Amino acid sequence: MGYQAQGPVIPPQSNLDDRETLVSEQKHRGKTYHQFTAVFNVVNSIIGSGIIGLPYSMKQAGFPLGILLLFGVSYVTDFSLILLIKGGALSGTDTYQSLVNKTFGFPGYILLSVLQFFYPFIAMISYNIITGDTLSKVFQRIPGVDPENLLIGRHFIIVLSTAAFALPLSLYRDIAKLGKISFLSTVLTTLILGIVMARVVSLGPYIPKTEDAWVFAKPSAIQALGVMSFAFICHHNCFLVYGSLEDPTVAKWSRIIHMSTLASVLISTLFATCGYLTFTGFTQGDLFENYCRNDDLVTFGRFCYAVTVILTYPIECFVTREGVLCAAPLIFILPSACYLKLSEEPRTHSDKIMSCVMLPVGVMVMVTGLLMAVTNPQDCTHGQEMFYCFPDNLSLTNISVSHLQVTTQLSVLNSSIFQ
């Protein structure tokens, strides 16, 4: 028998077509997955723990002006997040630090590194405190649990939640892995919003309205702007999220940011509005401090909020691993300054005009907000029950509504809601 050369085995054309189609579909699903992951990571960064203080910002600014400022901050957030990536594209850099280093040299790099470390680091500390305080109140509502039990104390809860949940989630090497966690956090935030909306209907009519409830603007509006900026800041991790995309482009990033900002501002506006309408001038910096301890529906909301805070913790940890005073430079000042120095667009270009507006506004917010925070500190109840939780305490109802009306309303409230 002679030797017969054998050529490469070529599979049928139909099999090739099926294989190519399968690979193409997998790539498409992968790209879509990464985009939705990025959206949820950005939304989780924006509406993490800061959302709980937005009703208080309405009290500080005046409700009508507060709503306008909230939309303004959301627009600036949307614009500056895209501006950062544009700056990265212009400079050929892929991190916030390298962008600032390329634009302003080593001093700028040091400044940003300090800001980008301390802001999320302080945020993580606040997350631990919020988790400990919130879950301790939740566990105290469990029947038969001793309020003095060390196992429901804030310190034990902080250590346990950090070791069991926050730390393991923070060990991922790729921020895209947190997409499902961010989705769960967003779902829980939606549940919390539903509880706040339910209570504005069932509880709001029984809480007396303060005389300045509907004032258009108040002198502390700058402080309110600082609270909103803190709630919306996610610039410190935008390059991390951008780098997790398949084939990242400025156009793709713009679509992701538009979707994320729209979802965030809708949730934030509803939360701020419903929270403020319920308590008006009595609104606390932590909205959950306004609700009575024996409200079981709100207790469930507190639990959901504590979980969202734990799930937001790893995203902040990602930034500290790379590296109201930090928020303004990160949102307003540095993105605008980098783009203005790098861009060769004419001065009349819309991006440059907006950047020229954001830069001085950011400086003003940072300086004025800091001075007002130092000279005009705000009081909080720090775990004390609000007066309307004790309908028999007439001495605490010194407001424009009559004592008889308040007492009658609150008696009905306690019997219809909390029992």
Side-chain angles (χ1 to χ4, degrees):
M1 294 177 62
Y3 175 76
Q4 294 181 351
Q6 294 183 351
V9 178
I10 302 176
Q13 184 65 35
S14 59
N15 290 345
L16 278 178
D17 293 340
D18 291 342
R19 188 179 303 168
E20 290 176 355
T21 302
L22 179 61
V23 171
S24 176
E25 289 177 353
Q26 288 176 342
K27 288 183 177 179
H28 177 72
R29 284 197 297 266
K31 292 179 180 179
T32 304
Y33 170 77
H34 279 276
Q35 290 186 42
F36 278 103
T37 294
V39 169
F40 286 119
N41 278 333
V42 174
V43 171
N44 190 30
S45 297
I46 293 177
I47 60 174
S49 65
I51 192 175
I52 205 71
L54 290 179
Y56 180 71
S57 69
M58 301 294 109
K59 171 186 172 181
Q60 286 183 307
F63 180 66
L65 178 60
I67 294 296
L68 295 176
L69 289 176
L70 189 58
F71 279 102
V73 169
S74 66
Y75 174 77
V76 170
T77 299
D78 182 283
F79 178 83
S80 57
L81 285 170
I82 297 172
L83 204 65
L84 272 177
I85 299 303
K86 286 183 177 179
L90 288 172
S91 62
T93 57
D94 57 0
T95 66
Y96 206 161
Q97 291 99 323
S98 57
L99 168 61
V100 175
N101 187 34
K102 185 77 174 283
T103 309
F104 296 106
F106 188 69
Y109 173 82
I110 293 297
L111 173 62
L112 178 70
S113 297
V114 171
L115 293 175
Q116 197 151 324
F117 175 81
F118 277 106
Y119 174 80
F121 182 73
I122 293 171
M124 287 191 294
I125 293 175
S126 70
Y127 291 170
N128 280 330
I129 295 172
I130 291 170
T131 301
D133 287 344
T134 304
L135 287 181
S136 63
K137 294 174 184 176
V138 171
F139 295 148
Q140 287 174 11
R141 289 291 298 159
I142 299 176
V145 173
D146 182 7
E148 303 300 325
N149 192 323
L150 293 177
L151 297 180
I152 65 169
R154 61 184 299 196
H155 296 95
F156 179 80
I157 291 174
I158 289 173
V159 172
L160 180 63
S161 63
T162 301
F165 301 103
L167 180 59
L169 292 175
S170 301
L171 295 178
Y172 282 119
R173 302 178 71 87
D174 184 3
I175 198 171
K177 300 289 187 180
L178 296 177
K180 294 179 181 179
I181 301 298
S182 296
F183 173 74
L184 176 60
S185 178
T186 304
V187 171
L188 292 175
T189 301
T190 306
L191 286 176
I192 298 169
L193 175 61
I195 292 172
V196 173
M197 294 175 67
R199 280 295 176 254
V200 73
V201 176
S202 61
L203 178 61
Y206 299 99
I207 307 298
K209 308 305 177 189
T210 52
E211 295 180 354
D212 62 346
W214 314 118
V215 172
F216 180 83
K218 295 180 181 178
S220 54
I222 293 293
Q223 287 178 287
L225 196 58
V227 174
M228 296 174 189
S229 299
F230 178 84
F232 271 78
I233 187 171
C234 58
H235 300 62
H236 47 295
N237 55 39
C238 75
F239 277 98
L240 291 172
V241 178
Y242 178 74
S244 70
L245 297 175
E246 290 278 348
D247 303 323
T249 62
V250 174
K252 186 182 296 184
W253 177 251
S254 298
R255 290 193 299 270
I256 289 171
I257 292 304
H258 291 330
M259 288 189 292
S260 304
T261 307
L262 179 62
S264 299
V265 74
L266 288 177
I267 294 174
S268 299
T269 302
L270 282 173
F271 195 93
T273 300
C274 294
Y276 180 77
L277 291 181
T278 306
F279 304 105
T280 60
F282 302 114
T283 305
Q284 299 294 305
D286 179 351
L287 184 66
F288 281 121
E289 290 294 314
N290 280 104
Y291 296 101
C292 302
R293 297 285 183 88
N294 58 350
D295 189 336
D296 291 329
L297 180 62
V298 174
T299 297
F300 174 70
R302 288 190 177 102
F303 175 77
C304 292
Y305 178 61
V307 174
T308 62
V309 169
I310 293 173
L311 297 180
T312 306
Y313 186 101
I315 293 183
E316 302 298 334
C317 186
F318 260 88
V319 183
T320 58
R321 279 162 46 179
E322 302 286 330
V324 174
L325 184 61
C326 297
L330 291 173
I331 291 181
F332 294 95
I333 300 174
L334 289 175
S336 304
C338 289
Y339 183 79
L340 287 173
K341 188 168 182 179
L342 293 170
S343 177
E344 297 180 356
E345 298 288 350
R347 294 182 179 179
T348 56
H349 193 274
S350 59
D351 287 349
K352 278 203 168 181
I353 294 174
M354 185 63 185
S355 298
C356 290
V357 173
M358 285 170 51
L359 194 58
V361 168
V363 174
M364 181 191 68
V365 171
M366 182 179 66
V367 175
T368 308
L370 178 62
L371 291 175
M372 293 185 69
V374 172
T375 59
N376 186 30
Q378 301 295 321
D379 294 328
C380 294
T381 60
H382 297 295
Q384 299 177 7
E385 287 277 58
M386 298 295 289
F387 71 89
Y388 42 77
C389 297
F390 306 99
D392 296 331
N393 193 347
L394 299 181
S395 63
L396 294 177
T397 58
N398 186 21
I399 50 178
S400 58
V401 184
S402 69
H403 296 318
L404 178 61
Q405 180 183 355
V406 173
T407 305
T408 303
Q409 288 176 335
L410 291 173
S411 299
V412 175
L413 175 67
N414 280 355
S415 61
S416 61
I417 296 179
F418 299 142
Q419 296 180 355

